[in-house]
Amino acid sequence: MILDIDKKVTKNFVKIVENFMPMKQLKTHYTALEISCHGIPWIVLVLASIWIISNKNLYQMQINLLIALLLDIVIIGLLKAVTRRRRPAINTDPFAMGPDKYSFPSGHASRPMLLLYFFYYLWPVPVICIPPLVAWLVAVALSRLLMRRHYILDIYAGLVIGYAEGILMSILYLEPGTCLYLVSWLTDVRMDIGDSAE
């Protein structure tokens, strides 16, 4: 019953949105938005930043962000494997593997919400960076509907889960010394753990 209503509401919402010119322009960029929020590129980007930037002041942010992304992938993957809700249309996402072929909940909604929470509460960025993050979150969520990858309920659940993951990360957030140790383990480079206490 609820799923049927969700399907109808989503279908009508997409039809209405597609009548507006700005949304049609957004639709031409939905593949870029899809890739910009996929878990695999984000994990690769964080790992690459650890090796390339190699800045002790950023290790705590990088390691905690990596843990948050992995946590999101595991939670969303498990929920998709359990619910197995079919997508509105055939999934042509080249990154879709295993449970990711299912619709509920949306990892592309949970991830930007988690990142917004992370960079607002856990590792605050300048306030000027928050509006672009919010705009990106909204654009990704709308693009998932326009691409017919998800229903509205999938997006809503993803946003709630992303926020809950942010709260969980605020509890699990690792200290600088622990992060420095993990970076030295990841990169196989010896570091002075004592320096992180400063």
Coordinates of all heavy atoms in Angstrom, one line a residue, residues 2 15 35 53 63 77 85 99 106 125 138 145 160 164 179 182 184-185 188 190 196:
I2 N 1.8 1.4 1.0 CA 2.6 2.5 1.1 C 3.6 2.6 -0.1 O 3.8 3.7 -0.7 CB 3.5 2.5 2.4 CG1 2.6 2.7 3.6 CG2 4.5 3.6 2.4 CD1 3.2 2.5 4.9
K15 N 7.1 14.0 -13.3 CA 6.4 14.6 -14.5 C 6.3 16.1 -14.3 O 6.6 16.9 -15.2 CB 5.0 14.0 -14.7 CG 5.0 12.7 -15.4 CD 3.6 12.2 -15.6 CE 3.6 10.8 -16.3 NZ 2.2 10.3 -16.4
I35 N 28.1 10.2 -10.5 CA 29.5 9.8 -10.3 C 30.0 10.6 -9.1 O 30.8 10.1 -8.3 CB 30.3 10.0 -11.5 CG1 29.9 9.0 -12.6 CG2 31.8 9.8 -11.2 CD1 30.4 9.3 -14.0
I53 N 48.8 14.2 -0.3 CA 48.9 15.4 0.5 C 49.9 15.2 1.7 O 50.7 16.0 2.0 CB 47.5 15.9 1.0 CG1 46.6 16.2 -0.2 CG2 47.7 17.1 1.9 CD1 45.2 16.6 0.2
I63 N 41.0 10.0 7.9 CA 40.7 8.7 8.5 C 39.3 8.6 8.9 O 38.6 7.6 8.6 CB 41.7 8.3 9.6 CG1 43.1 8.1 9.1 CG2 41.2 7.1 10.4 CD1 43.3 6.9 8.1
G77 N 24.3 -1.0 2.0 CA 24.4 -2.3 1.3 C 23.5 -3.4 2.0 O 22.8 -4.2 1.4
R85 N 14.1 -3.9 -2.8 CA 13.1 -3.1 -3.6 C 13.6 -2.9 -5.0 O 14.7 -2.4 -5.1 CB 12.7 -1.8 -2.9 CG 11.6 -1.1 -3.6 CD 11.3 0.2 -2.9 NE 10.0 0.8 -3.4 CZ 9.6 2.0 -3.2 NH1 10.3 2.8 -2.4 NH2 8.4 2.4 -3.7
P99 N 24.1 -5.7 -3.9 CA 22.9 -5.1 -3.4 C 22.6 -3.7 -4.0 O 21.5 -3.2 -4.0 CB 23.2 -4.9 -1.9 CG 24.2 -5.9 -1.6 CD 25.1 -6.0 -2.9
S106 N 18.4 4.9 -0.6 CA 19.3 5.6 -1.6 C 20.6 5.9 -1.0 O 20.7 6.8 -0.1 CB 18.7 6.8 -2.2 OG 19.6 7.5 -2.9
V125 N 34.0 23.1 8.1 CA 34.6 23.9 7.0 C 34.1 25.3 7.1 O 33.1 25.6 7.8 CB 34.3 23.3 5.6 CG1 34.9 21.9 5.4 CG2 32.8 23.2 5.4
V138 N 20.9 18.5 -2.7 CA 19.5 18.6 -3.4 C 19.6 18.2 -4.8 O 18.7 17.5 -5.3 CB 19.0 20.1 -3.2 CG1 17.8 20.3 -4.1 CG2 18.8 20.4 -1.8
L145 N 15.8 11.0 -8.8 CA 14.4 10.8 -9.2 C 14.3 11.0 -10.7 O 13.5 10.2 -11.3 CB 13.6 11.9 -8.4 CG 13.5 11.7 -6.9 CD1 12.8 12.9 -6.3 CD2 12.8 10.4 -6.6
V160 N 17.6 10.4 6.0 CA 17.5 10.1 7.4 C 18.7 9.2 7.9 O 19.3 9.5 8.9 CB 16.2 9.5 7.8 CG1 16.1 8.9 9.2 CG2 15.0 10.4 7.5
A164 N 21.7 10.0 10.6 CA 21.9 9.1 11.7 C 23.4 8.6 11.7 O 24.0 8.4 12.7 CB 21.0 7.9 11.6
C179 N 44.5 8.1 14.6 CA 44.5 8.3 13.1 C 45.9 8.3 12.5 O 46.1 7.7 11.5 CB 43.8 9.6 12.8 SG 42.0 9.7 13.2
L182 N 46.9 4.7 12.3 CA 46.2 4.1 11.1 C 46.8 4.5 9.8 O 47.0 3.7 8.9 CB 44.7 4.4 11.2 CG 44.0 3.7 12.3 CD1 42.5 4.2 12.3 CD2 44.0 2.2 12.1
S184 N 50.0 5.4 9.4 CA 51.3 4.8 9.3 C 51.1 3.3 8.9 O 51.9 2.8 8.2 CB 52.1 4.9 10.6 OG 51.4 4.2 11.6
W185 N 50.0 2.7 9.3 CA 49.8 1.3 9.0 C 49.3 1.2 7.5 O 49.8 0.3 6.8 CB 48.7 0.8 9.9 CG 48.3 -0.6 9.6 CD1 49.0 -1.8 9.8 CD2 47.1 -1.1 8.9 NE1 48.3 -2.9 9.4 CE2 47.1 -2.5 8.8 CE3 46.0 -0.4 8.3 CZ2 46.1 -3.2 8.2 CZ3 45.0 -1.1 7.8 CH2 45.1 -2.5 7.7
D188 N 52.4 2.3 5.4 CA 53.6 1.5 5.7 C 54.8 2.4 5.9 O 56.0 2.1 5.6 CB 53.9 0.5 4.6 CG 54.8 -0.7 5.2 OD1 54.8 -0.9 6.4 OD2 55.6 -1.2 4.4
R190 N 56.8 4.8 8.9 CA 56.9 5.0 10.3 C 56.7 6.5 10.6 O 57.3 7.4 10.0 CB 58.3 4.6 10.8 CG 58.4 3.1 11.1 CD 59.7 2.9 11.8 NE 59.7 1.6 12.5 CZ 59.2 1.4 13.7 NH1 58.5 2.3 14.3 NH2 59.2 0.2 14.2
S196 N 51.4 13.8 17.4 CA 50.0 14.1 17.2 C 49.4 14.6 18.5 O 48.3 15.2 18.4 CB 49.3 12.8 16.8 OG 49.4 11.9 17.8

